[in-house]
Structures are given as C-alpha cells and as structure tokens.
Amino acid sequence: TALAQEAPVKEAPASSGNDSKMVYYTVKSGDTLWSISQKYNGVTIDQLKEWNKISGNGAGLKVGQKIKVILPAG
C-alpha cells in the first residue's frame, strides 16, 4: 500500500506571504477528495480542486497520483 509522502518544498506558493508549507500526498485506493481533506486540518475540497486543477467531484483520482496540498500556517 502506498503511504502519504510529505515532501517539503523550498519555495512557498506565490500567493502566500505566511508560513504555509506545500506537500505532496500520494493517492491510495479508496481515497476521495473528502477523505484527503480530512487528513489535513484546515484544507478544503475546493482548495484541493483548485491547487490540482481537478474539476467535478474528483472521481478521476488515480492510485499513486501525487496531489499538491498547501498546509495552512500555524
């Protein structure tokens, strides 16, 4: 089974002037945008869709796919 991989990125996203951190989550079997958002406190489904250019309900997620997650500062 694939595990979540958090890879700190050296550059903060251009839109953030705070201490947010970008990580990549590796999609596992059975994951949904909702279940992924629940793993990261303060991250919404809409944010996941925006950051990863996902449309609709995210049904196109593939096992092993890496999606960008921007963790809120704090």
Side-chain angles (χ1 to χ4, degrees), residues 33 45-46 48-50 52-61:
L33 288 175
I45 293 169
D46 287 338
L48 289 173
K49 289 166 69 169
E50 179 183 341
N52 295 283
K53 298 178 178 40
I54 296 169
S55 60
N57 63 4
L61 290 176

Side-chain angles (χ1 to χ4, degrees), residues 36-52:
I36 295 167
S37 73
Q38 297 302 297
K39 296 176 192 298
Y40 298 98
N41 191 27
V43 173
T44 67
I45 293 169
D46 287 338
Q47 288 173 319
L48 289 173
K49 289 166 69 169
E50 179 183 341
W51 298 330
N52 295 283

Side-chain angles (χ1 to χ4, degrees), residues 27 31-33 54-63 65 67:
V27 177
D31 274 343
T32 63
L33 288 175
I54 296 169
S55 60
N57 63 4
L61 290 176
K62 296 180 177 64
V63 173
Q65 177 182 354
I67 64 169

Side-chain angles (χ1 to χ4, degrees), residues 1 8 18 21 23 26 42 48 53 67 71-73:
T1 60
N18 56 23
K21 181 173 85 168
V23 298
T26 302
L48 289 173
K53 298 178 178 40
I67 64 169
L71 303 176

